[in-house]
Amino acid sequence: MTSKSVLTNSKRLAAYKAVDNHLDSSTRIVGIGSGSTVVFVIERILQRGGLKEAENEKLKKLDVNNCVFIPTSFQSRQLIVDNGLNLGDVDQYPVIDITIDGADEVDDNLNAIKGGGACHLREKVVAEISKKFIIVADYTKESKVLGEKWTQGVPIEVIPFCYTLVLSSLKKLGCPSPNLRMAKAKAGPIITDNGNFVIDAHFGPLDGTKLFDNGNRNTPGDMMKQIKLLTGVVEVGLFIDMAEIVYIGCEDGINVKHIKKGE
Ligand SMILES: O=C[C@H](O)[C@H](O)[C@H](O)COP(=O)(O)O
């Protein structure tokens, strides 16, 4: 297997495991995260619903026609609609049974960096109203300290009018070179699903060794609060203490490990 297919396989393994362990006949309202790993969540849901063929497996059936799927981005909405699943929104379903989402980096305490695809605002809303929030990721995402592996920076959604102010506020907060995220096939910055910009701010490993004048430290939780308070910031891609369980597809292409709250 090439390293690319090992990676893809580990995403698939984690996604399948989460769907198999947590979606059953009582599941009704399902939040669908965004990104490349979530594609396999939908794939497994379709297999479990008998809408897509599964390889050599007798799968426990899922009554997908009785489920409603809540998207976290344009991409996840398309996944839901294109596959003929029932689409809902947070205003119709203010409480969600379970949400499965990807992450850019996850630590041992189940804190995560998200927003590599600029979807973290809606992802956070959906996660927050979910009774169960589950993360699925490949082995490259696991780390001891957030910021060790995802070095492109914490994604921060900002109001366009405020981006220069937020850039300078982030420098004052200790980020040497925050970047306005630029689009690849469009001139200028990327625009989120909410019409905003994204700034990526790398503060180094968020290991708690730095003490700010206000008594905060550079822990994921303190950084989340401090960044969120900056004028112009809409949402920060730090998900603190939100996930109940994280599934990580291993590099061997066979096993899936999990990290569970309280274990
Ligand atoms: O904004 C994007 C989301 O937070 C994704 O869930 C995250 O970037 C992980 O994506 P992927 O599964 O493609 O690594």
Side-chain angles (χ1 to χ4, degrees), residues 120-166:
H120 53 286
L121 167 62
R122 294 189 189 196
E123 290 177 332
K124 203 177 261 190
V125 171
V126 170
E128 217 168 290
I129 61 171
S130 297
K131 290 187 219 159
K132 222 181 229 188
F133 176 55
I134 291 175
I135 291 180
V136 287
D138 63 73
Y139 55 89
T140 64
K141 313 289 183 61
E142 190 186 8
S143 82
K144 289 273 165 251
V145 178
L146 291 185
E148 256 178 357
K149 286 196 172 167
W150 185 258
T151 53
Q152 76 176 54
V154 174
I156 303 163
E157 180 156 345
V158 299
I159 300 288
F161 176 74
C162 311
Y163 88 92
T164 45
L165 170 64
V166 179

Side-chain angles (χ1 to χ4, degrees), residues 11 34-37 101-104 114-119 123 141:
K11 289 174 196 267
S34 305
S36 56
T37 316
D101 201 348
D104 300 303
K114 288 181 54 52
C119 307
E123 290 177 332
K141 313 289 183 61

Side-chain angles (χ1 to χ4, degrees), residues 28 51 90 103 142 199 203 211-212 229 241:
R28 286 289 168 270
L51 304 174
V90 290
E142 190 186 8
I199 291 174
F203 291 87
L211 179 64
F212 293 91
L229 280 176
D241 206 21

